[in-house]
Amino acid sequence: MLRDWFDAADEFNAARLVLLSSWSPWLVALVVIAVAAVVYLAWHNTAGQIASRRRLLVGLRLGTVGVLLLLFLQPGVRLEHVTRVRNHVVLLLDASRSMTLPADRYDARVDAVRAWLTDQLPTLERWRAMHQVDLFAVTDHARPLGALSELGAEGDATRLLSALEDVAARFQPDDLAAVVVISDGADNGALGDAVVAAGDVPPAAEAVARRLGAPIHTVFTGPDRPLRDVAIVDVAYDDFAFVRNAVSIEAEISVTGYDDLRLPVTLRQGDEVLGTRTLETTQGQSRYHFEFEFVPDETGKAVFTLEVGQGPGERVQVNNRRQFVVRIIRDKIRVLQVVGRPSWDQRFLRKLLKKNPNVDLISFFILRTGASIDVARRDELSLIPFPTRELFEEQLGSFDLIIFQNFTYRGYHMEQYLPLIRDYVRNGGGFVMLGGDLSFTSGGYAGTPIEDFLPVTLPADKNDLLLTGRFSPVLAEAGRRHPITALSVVPEENTERWRALPKLSGVNRVTGLRAGAQALLEHPAQQVGGARAPVVAVAPFGRGRVLSVTTDTTWHWDFLAAGEGGDNRHYYKFWGNAIRWLIRDPALEPVQVEADRDRYPLGAEATLVTRVLGADYQPAVDAPVTVRVDRVFFGDGGSREREIALDEAGRTDENGQLVVRLKPRADGAYFVRATATVGGADVADDDAFVVAPDPIELRRTDARRDTLQALAQAGGGEALTLADDLDDVARNEPRVVKVNRRRDVPLWASGWLLLVAVLLPSTEWFLRRRWGLL
C-alpha cells in the first residue's frame, strides 16, 4: 500500500515507515513524558468546566502536542530497491502405509493428496516468485522428492517430529518461509503418544517449532468418519522365555466402527493352539486387553501367531494377525542326582553342582532299602521312601540331566521305569552313569533298556566286575578334540594338564564301546577287544546325549590336586564341560545356523550364517553345507501353507562359516535348516524368523486430526483440511541481502501540518480566554 501511494513510477520494490530524526532514545522518552504531563495539566486545569467544554479543550491540547511530536520525531516512508534470497517453503508429504487407507471420495489418502496438490499448483507457482518450494516424503524421517509423481505410500512408520527435526537440521531459520505438513495425523512416534497422554501441545513439538523459526501449517487428509476395523494394536512379550516356566503374552486390540461384535482371539505356536479368548464389544469402549499363559517344554526359537477374527465389512485385514519369535532358553539346568550310597565322589560332585548358580539340583541318597535290617519301627524313621513314580514318570521330562552315581535300580521296583528313562534320553535328555560297586553290570544294568543307550557295552557275566589299582587315564584320540576333555584350547597344554592330574583308583569292567560311541579317556593298562578300556566315554542316543565314567574317584582331581599344591580347577572344568555338552549348549554344537534378526520388514534382506565345527571342534574349512528355508504362511481360507523359499548348497570359508542371503518376497514365518557332514554323519541345526509387512503403521487405522492441530498450534500456523487452500497462509519474508537504492519521503514536511500546529494552540488560547481560564 505504501508503494502505491509514494512510488507511482514503480522504481522500488519495498517500502516501510521510519523515523527520520536522529534523537537518542532517552531524549525521545523524556519528550513523551513531557507530552503526557502537558495533557494531564490540561485535563486538571479544566476541572470546573462543563463536560463538553472540557473535552474540547483537552482535544485541542492533544492535537497540539501530537502535531509537535510529529514534527519532533520526523516520520517518513523509506522506499528501497532490494535484492532478496528466496527462502524455502517445505511441504512434508506423508508417505506411510496408512496413506493407502480410504479417504473421503478417494480409495486412498495418498490419491487425495495428489489431487489436492494439483489444485494448489497456481498458488505454488505464485509462491515460487519469492520462495523455493521443496517436497519431502515423510515416513520415519524426511526424504527429498524430486517430483509429486514420486510420492508413494510404502513407509512402515510415521514420525512427524523426526521429519521436522530433519528439516531443522537441513535449513537455517532465516532460510525457511513456512513448513506445511500434509498427513492423516496417524503418528506412531513421540508426537502421537504425547498428544494422547497430555491432550495439549507437547513440549517436544514446541521445541522443534522454535528450532525451525517458521510457521508450521498442517493439512489433514483423513476421512471425517473412522474406518470399521479390528486391529491388534500391541503385543507385549519378552524376547526371551525360560523353558518349563510360565510365559505370559499380553495383547491389546482396538475396535472402531462396530457396536455389537463377538470375535475369537487365538494364540498359536505352529499348528498348536495355546489358548483362545473371546472379544465382545462394549458400547463406549474401543480398547480390549487379553492375556495368554503357557509353559514351553523345549528350548530354541519358537514362532507364535496371535490372531483375531475379522469384522463384517472390514477392509484392512493385515492388522488382524501378528507373528513374533520368542527364544526359549534355560533359566537353570535342572539336574536329578540319584546316589546309591554316600561317598567322597558323590560329596564332591554334589558340592560342584550346588555351587553352580545355573544348576537347580535335586539329590536323592539311598541310605536304606526295603531289604535293610530294621533297627527301629518304621514310624520312628525320618527317612522318606524313594519317590520312583514321581521322579521317573510324572516329573521325568522336567529334568535336563539325570545322574546315576553308584546307584542300582534293584530293590526299588524300578523295572517298569527303565524304558521311560530310555525314551527320556531318546527325546533329548542328558544322562550320566558313574562307576562303583552298584553301577554298570554291578548294578544289574546289563541287558536292560539302560544298556541300550550307554556308550559302553556291559559284560553279562559277574566275574571281576570291579578292577582295582591306581592309574592315570590317558587321552584317547577323540578326547584330544572333544569339548568335555578340553582343559586348555592349546593341544599340547591340554595333554600336559591331564598328565599332571592325580591318579584315580579302580574302574568298572566293561567290554567295549557301543556303535557310535567315543572314548575320551582310557585306562593305560586294561584292555578290551585289543584296545584300551574306556574310562570316560560319550555317545548320542536319538536327540539325547550320554556320558559314562567307569570310576568313582574323579573327586581326586579336586581334593588330592588341591592337597598336592596343584590346580583343582580342572575338576570343575571337566564337569562343567560335560554338563554343557550333555544339555546341548549351542556353543558346543557342531553345526549352528542363525539369522541376523528375529523379525524383518517386508523387502529387507535376511543374512543367514552357518558355522560348522569339525570332529576336533575347530572351524571346519571347505565343509559342504546345505541351507533350506521354508516359508509358512496363511492361505486365502486361513489354512497354513508351506513353500520352499530357498534351497542352496555351499562350502564353508576359512572361518568355518557359510553366509547365505535371502530377500523374502512375502510375509510369514520362515524356518531355516542348515545341514553339514561332521565326522561322517549329517548334523543339522534350525532357526526361525518372521517377515511382517506392516509391523507398526497399520496397527491403527484411525486418522488423528488432533495430532495435526497440536502441531499447528505449536508452530503458530493454521490447521487446514483438503477443503482449504494455501493462498493466505502465513509465511516468513525472504531475507534481504542487498539494498540497491533508497529514497526517504518525509511525512512531516508539509505546510498544512505547520498551519495546523499554529491554529490548534491559537484556538485553545482563544477559548480559554473567553471562558475565563486565563
Side-chain angles (χ1 to χ4, degrees):
M1 183 182 298
L2 292 176
R3 287 182 55 211
D4 294 338
W5 290 348
F6 296 97
D7 185 24
D10 198 21
E11 300 177 7
F12 303 92
N13 58 11
R16 56 194 173 95
L17 290 172
V18 295
L19 296 179
L20 301 178
S21 62
S22 58
W23 308 116
S24 68
W26 290 106
L27 181 58
V28 171
L30 289 175
V31 170
V32 171
I33 293 173
V35 166
V38 169
V39 173
Y40 173 76
L41 290 175
W43 177 261
H44 180 73
N45 292 336
T46 58
Q49 299 295 315
I50 60 177
S52 58
R53 291 183 177 183
R54 191 179 191 189
R55 284 194 297 268
L56 178 58
L57 292 174
V58 172
L60 291 170
R61 180 67 58 89
L62 280 172
T64 301
V65 296
V67 170
L68 295 176
L69 188 61
L70 286 175
L71 294 173
F72 176 77
L73 295 176
Q74 301 177 14
V77 174
R78 177 162 291 170
L79 300 174
E80 294 176 327
H81 187 280
V82 298
T83 299
R84 297 179 183 271
V85 174
R86 290 191 305 166
N87 54 3
H88 297 262
V89 174
V90 176
L91 302 185
L92 296 178
L93 310 180
D94 193 339
S96 65
R97 291 186 184 272
S98 66
M99 295 296 287
T100 62
L101 299 176
D104 294 336
R105 298 183 294 108
Y106 289 91
D107 290 335
R109 297 168 187 174
V110 67
D111 294 335
V113 170
R114 293 192 187 103
W116 181 78
L117 283 175
T118 302
D119 293 340
Q120 300 300 312
L121 284 179
T123 299
L124 298 180
E125 287 300 324
R126 288 195 300 273
W127 284 3
R128 286 191 171 93
M130 297 183 65
H131 311 293
Q132 182 172 328
V133 179
D134 301 298
L135 302 181
F136 287 82
V138 175
T139 53
D140 54 347
H141 288 283
R143 174 176 54 86
L145 282 177
L148 182 60
S149 58
E150 298 178 10
L151 178 63
E154 300 176 351
D156 286 331
T158 304
R159 304 277 195 267
L160 295 180
L161 285 185
S162 296
L164 291 172
E165 291 283 358
D166 292 341
V167 173
R170 181 182 288 264
F171 300 102
Q172 294 295 324
D174 290 343
D175 296 333
L176 280 176
V179 178
V180 182
V181 179
I182 306 171
S183 170
D184 58 7
D187 185 282
N188 38 53
L191 179 61
D193 294 339
V195 171
V196 171
D200 203 346
V201 179
E206 294 178 331
V208 73
R210 286 193 296 270
R211 283 192 60 191
L212 291 169
I216 302 175
H217 309 288
T218 61
V219 180
F220 178 65
T221 65
D224 293 330
R225 298 181 59 186
L227 298 175
R228 303 179 75 188
D229 186 56
V230 179
I232 300 175
V233 177
D234 189 33
V235 179
Y237 62 92
D238 293 324
D239 294 333
F240 294 88
F242 298 115
V243 67
R244 292 185 292 276
N245 285 268
V247 177
S248 178
I249 305 292
E250 297 183 32
E252 188 173 354
I253 297 176
S254 70
V255 179
T256 55
Y258 293 101
D259 294 327
D260 187 13
L261 198 61
R262 182 183 175 91
L263 296 173
V265 182
T266 306
L267 178 67
R268 292 186 177 89
Q269 180 181 353
D271 293 323
E272 180 185 0
V273 176
L274 300 179
T276 301
R277 306 288 186 269
T278 300
L279 168 65
E280 294 187 37
T281 57
T282 302
Q283 190 167 4
Q285 182 178 350
S286 61
R287 294 293 184 96
Y288 300 86
H289 184 83
F290 297 91
E291 185 170 348
F292 298 85
E293 191 171 278
F294 63 96
V295 179
D297 55 4
E298 290 186 359
T299 59
K301 281 187 181 180
V303 178
F304 297 90
T305 303
L306 183 69
E307 189 174 23
V308 60
Q310 297 175 9
E314 186 177 1
R315 298 187 59 174
V316 181
Q317 300 171 3
V318 68
N319 54 18
N320 290 56
R321 182 183 296 121
R322 185 82 64 86
Q323 289 186 303
F324 54 94
V325 175
V326 177
R327 294 173 182 256
I328 310 298
I329 61 175
R330 287 184 174 88
D331 178 16
K332 286 192 173 184
I333 305 168
R334 199 155 188 255
V335 178
L336 172 63
Q337 182 189 24
V338 183
V339 183
R341 66 166 61 97
S343 66
W344 284 106
D345 203 41
Q346 161 269 314
R347 179 178 178 181
F348 277 84
L349 182 57
R350 184 171 185 271
K351 181 182 72 171
L352 177 146
L353 294 171
K354 288 182 68 67
K355 286 180 64 175
N356 190 334
N358 297 317
V359 171
D360 180 13
L361 177 65
I362 298 178
S363 297
F364 280 91
F365 303 88
I366 309 302
L367 301 180
R368 62 185 301 277
T369 69
S372 301
I373 299 176
D374 286 334
V375 295
R377 295 195 310 270
R378 287 184 177 272
D379 59 358
E380 295 177 349
L381 296 175
S382 62
L383 302 178
I384 64 171
F386 188 34
T388 53
R389 181 172 179 274
E390 290 84 347
L391 289 176
F392 300 112
E393 184 174 343
E394 297 177 359
Q395 299 294 324
L396 183 62
S398 68
F399 295 105
D400 299 297
L401 177 62
I402 295 176
I403 300 175
F404 276 11
Q405 189 165 13
N406 196 26
F407 169 74
T408 177
Y409 69 94
R410 295 178 296 193
Y412 307 105
H413 307 290
M414 283 186 55
E415 291 83 357
Q416 68 270 30
Y417 300 119
L418 300 185
L420 298 181
I421 297 175
R422 179 182 58 195
D423 294 341
Y424 157 82
V425 177
R426 180 183 286 116
N427 293 329
F431 185 89
V432 180
M433 181 173 283
L434 287 92
D437 60 346
L438 299 177
S439 195
F440 296 100
T441 300
S442 300
Y445 292 105
T448 68
I450 299 296
E451 188 185 8
D452 293 347
F453 59 78
L454 286 177
V456 294
T457 57
L458 304 182
D461 64 274
K462 298 183 179 180
N463 299 323
D464 299 325
L465 296 180
L466 296 175
L467 305 176
T468 60
R470 293 168 59 82
F471 68 96
S472 292
V474 295
L475 280 172
E477 186 61 32
R480 299 178 185 277
R481 304 182 302 270
H482 204 278
I484 289 181
T485 45
L487 303 183
S488 171
V489 295
V490 181
E492 295 78 12
E493 186 176 321
N494 187 53
T495 302
E496 182 58 34
R497 287 183 179 180
W498 278 108
R499 186 180 296 115
L501 287 176
K503 293 183 178 182
L504 305 180
S505 297
V507 292
N508 291 76
R509 182 168 67 90
V510 297
T511 56
L513 292 172
R514 180 172 60 83
Q518 292 179 308
L520 305 184
L521 294 176
E522 296 174 329
H523 198 288
Q526 297 295 332
Q527 298 281 319
V528 290
R532 289 173 175 170
V535 177
V536 176
V538 294
F541 184 73
R543 293 162 52 199
R545 289 177 172 178
V546 187
L547 168 69
S548 66
V549 181
T550 61
T551 180
D552 62 351
T553 56
T554 59
W555 64 275
H556 289 185
W557 295 338
D558 183 354
F559 183 73
L560 295 184
E564 295 172 359
D567 192 350
N568 64 345
R569 291 181 301 171
H570 301 323
Y571 175 76
Y572 289 85
K573 181 73 171 176
F574 168 76
W575 279 111
N577 290 344
I579 292 171
R580 291 176 60 199
W581 183 83
L582 286 162
I583 66 170
R584 291 187 177 274
D585 186 333
L588 299 181
E589 289 298 303
V591 176
Q592 305 165 39
V593 62
E594 186 174 18
D596 57 337
R597 293 169 62 179
D598 292 339
R599 185 183 185 92
Y600 298 90
L602 187 62
E605 185 178 70
T607 301
L608 312 175
V609 180
T610 303
R611 300 175 180 85
V612 181
L613 302 178
D616 57 355
Y617 282 85
Q618 297 301 310
V621 180
D622 200 37
V625 179
T626 300
V627 179
R628 171 170 169 160
V629 181
D630 289 347
R631 171 180 173 247
V632 176
F633 59 99
F634 292 89
D636 295 336
S639 61
R640 286 170 57 88
E641 300 182 16
R642 181 182 289 265
E643 67 178 13
I644 299 176
L646 175 74
D647 194 352
E648 185 172 317
R651 290 185 173 272
T652 57
D653 58 15
E654 64 275 8
N655 298 315
Q657 296 183 355
L658 173 66
V659 178
V660 175
R661 290 180 171 83
L662 168 68
K663 193 169 185 178
R665 293 178 295 177
D667 64 322
Y670 287 74
F671 296 90
V672 185
R673 165 156 287 199
T675 305
T677 301
V678 179
D682 287 341
V683 182
D685 189 34
D686 299 313
D687 198 20
F689 60 88
V690 166
V691 175
D694 301 298
I696 298 175
E697 186 63 21
L698 294 183
R699 292 180 187 176
R700 294 182 56 176
T701 60
D702 52 326
R704 295 283 305 277
R705 189 193 296 263
D706 59 334
T707 300
L708 298 181
Q709 289 173 338
L711 188 59
Q713 183 178 348
E718 299 181 47
L720 309 174
T721 68
L722 294 179
D724 299 314
D725 293 323
L726 292 175
D727 286 333
D728 299 325
V729 297
R731 305 182 308 279
N732 291 341
E733 290 292 328
R735 181 163 47 95
V736 175
V737 294
K738 182 180 179 182
V739 179
N740 301 310
R741 58 183 180 273
R742 173 184 297 160
R743 187 175 75 196
D744 291 334
V745 180
L747 298 178
W748 58 274
S750 169
W752 291 104
L753 188 62
L754 294 174
L755 179 62
V756 170
V758 173
L759 288 177
L760 288 177
S762 300
T763 303
E764 181 186 357
W765 178 83
F766 173 76
L767 294 176
R768 281 179 174 272
R769 183 176 181 85
R770 182 172 181 179
W771 293 335
L773 295 176
L774 291 177

